[in-house]
Amino acid sequence: MVTLREYQSPCGELILGAYNDRLCLCDWRSRRNREAVDRRILRFLNCDYQTGDSDLIRLAIDQLEQYFAGERKQFSVPLLLAGTEFQQQVWRELQRVPFGQQISYLQLAEQLQNPKAIRAVAAANGANALSLFVPCHRIVGSDGSLTGYAGGLAAKQFLLNLEQPAGQAELALG
C-alpha cells in the first residue's frame, strides 16, 4: 500500500505518498491530470492507496518545512521514481539542476544527449509526481519565460523566487 497524507505548503496543497520507506508522491492536489498520475503510480507499484502517516512522510514534511523556511537547499528523503525508464532518466537529470538555477527544456534534452527529444523530455517533466524533490519547477522556456507547471504558474514563480538570493529581483511571469 502507498500511504498518503496531505500537506499544505505556502504555495498550494500537496499529496505525499510513501511506499516501502521511499517517497513516491509529492504532487499538487489541484493538478489537472491528478487521476492519470495516480493510476500510473498504482499500476507501476501494483498496489493501492491508504490514508495515513509514516516516519518517512514526517521526514519529508520536516524537510519541506525547512525548504520553505529557506533553511534547506537539497532533500535527502529516499525517492521511488514510478515511471518508464525514459521518464526516470529525465527525472534523475532534473535532480541535477542546482538550487537557485533554471534551465530550458532544450538544455535538459541536450544534457540527456537527445536534443531532438525536447517534446518527450517536456512530457516526462510534466509527468513528474515528486514535485520539489524532483525540481521540475526549475525548467523554463528557451526565452526564460515560465511555462506550464502542475502546481500552477503562481506556485512555480513562488518556488523560483524562494530559491533566489535575498535582494534579487522577483521573476516575472512569462
Side-chain angles (χ1 to χ4, degrees):
M1 296 294 276
V2 174
T3 302
L4 295 180
R5 179 175 167 190
E6 295 176 353
Y7 169 71
Q8 184 60 51
S9 83
C11 56
E13 188 176 3
L14 293 164
I15 302 169
L16 302 176
Y19 180 78
N20 288 346
D21 295 321
R22 294 196 293 172
L23 195 69
C24 64
L25 184 66
C26 177
D27 206 9
W28 303 95
R29 174 167 289 291
S30 61
R31 169 191 269 265
R32 184 176 35 170
N33 58 347
R34 164 91 269 124
E35 292 165 0
V37 171
D38 290 339
R39 280 192 309 272
R40 184 187 75 232
I41 290 171
L42 296 178
R43 185 175 55 249
F44 185 86
L45 299 174
N46 193 29
C47 65
D48 207 353
Y49 286 149
Q50 67 181 11
T51 302
D53 203 359
S54 71
D55 290 340
L56 180 74
I57 289 176
R58 285 189 294 278
L59 174 63
I61 289 173
D62 286 345
Q63 290 191 12
L64 287 168
E65 292 288 323
Q66 293 166 10
Y67 170 79
F68 286 116
E71 301 165 355
R72 176 174 288 276
K73 294 182 178 181
Q74 291 185 318
F75 296 103
S76 61
V77 173
L79 303 178
L80 175 60
L81 305 175
T84 67
E85 183 54 43
F86 179 77
Q87 288 172 327
Q88 290 180 39
Q89 181 184 16
V90 171
W91 299 334
R92 285 189 296 270
E93 194 64 33
L94 286 170
Q95 291 177 283
R96 293 185 182 100
V97 179
F99 179 94
Q101 294 185 22
Q102 296 92 47
I103 64 170
S104 70
Y105 291 98
L106 177 58
Q107 289 171 308
L108 182 60
E110 289 171 345
Q111 288 176 1
L112 292 163
Q113 299 179 5
N114 200 348
K116 292 183 179 180
I118 188 168
R119 288 185 182 185
V121 166
N125 187 70
N128 175 26
L130 283 160
S131 287
L132 305 171
F133 292 92
V134 176
C136 57
H137 63 278
R138 296 178 186 154
I139 309 305
V140 297
S142 292
D143 62 358
S145 64
L146 298 190
T147 56
Y149 185 61
L153 291 183
K156 185 171 187 166
Q157 180 177 349
F158 178 95
L159 296 169
L160 293 175
N161 288 341
L162 178 72
E163 294 185 4
Q164 295 305 306
Q168 264 196 3
E170 286 194 8
L171 297 168
L173 280 174

